Amino acid sequence: MTSSTRPRPAPTPTLKKPPARIPLLQQPRVQRVMYPLLVGVVLVALWQGLVTAMELPPYLVPSPYLMLQTLVTDWVPLGMALLVTLKITVLSFVAATLAGVLISFLFVQSKLIETALFPYAVLLQVTPIVAVAPLIIIWVKNPTAAMVVCAALVALFPIISNTTLGLRSIDPDLQSYFKLNRATRWQQLVRLRIPSALPYFFGGLRISSGLALIGAVVAEFVAGTGGSGAGLAYQILQAGFQLNIPRMFAALLLISLTGVALFVLMAWLTKLALGSWHASELSQD
């Protein structure tokens, strides 16, 4: 038997090495939570140390410990006020989202309509809500509805601006393909423009959710409602009149945590909607 016809030995199978496991502290998800928490702990410790070292009285700057203690002892009125503010925020955010999307759909139908009406949306954005809130409260008899309108006006422009930009930011080749196949306006809107606008729309939601909370607090300040239907703004005003600064800081902490929670919720919705196909959520950088 010649060497050319001699059977060759079977290749030995190579075992694939399992992918190296990323250490816990190097995982992006852990870092996104751990690093802000570390910075927060350092800032709180520095705050506590300065208040203790300088012996600052509570009516000037309360310590973080005293603020948290006040949050626990006064949780009943602060919790009820938080629910009121949260209700106004959610209602105004939903109203702003619906109105903003409908206006954006109207703008994208005709460049003439957008040119004629978009400056008024900008005018609405640059007008201070504090200046028009008293008029809205006078015109709208229901205090809750008036505050919802005020907060919705604050949160409206990012939805209009981002969604309109997204509806117009479509691939020209895809638009030509749809026209070549004689697609109707409705088909272009549903199958081309809306998918292209989703990243912009969710970016507007993240901005608008925080603005809705700010608008709700400002509207409560202007309305000056008290009693059981009062929000966190009334708790801040009342604490300021009584020089109860720890309670004021506790109310501010609740507002800040609510804003962070809304942003995290919008980021989660963005990941849920875009995480399987859009480059902004697929990238790991």
Side-chain angles (χ1 to χ4, degrees), residues 47 60-62 67 244-254:
W47 178 8
L60 287 181
V61 180
M67 178 186 64
N244 191 352
I245 307 304
R247 188 171 184 176
M248 178 188 295
F249 272 68
L252 290 173
L253 176 63
L254 287 178

Side-chain angles (χ1 to χ4, degrees), residues 74-132:
D74 296 351
W75 173 248
V76 174
L78 290 176
M80 293 178 61
L82 174 62
L83 291 178
V84 174
T85 301
L86 192 60
K87 181 182 72 172
I88 297 173
T89 301
V90 172
L91 291 176
S92 61
F93 177 62
V94 172
T97 301
L98 293 177
V101 169
L102 292 177
I103 293 174
S104 299
F105 285 168
L106 177 63
F107 283 174
V108 81
Q109 298 304 314
S110 172
K111 193 67 177 179
L112 181 61
I113 296 177
E114 181 182 357
T115 304
L117 299 181
F118 193 80
Y120 293 98
V122 177
L123 181 64
L124 187 65
Q125 170 68 14
V126 300
T127 302
I129 190 60
V130 179
V132 298

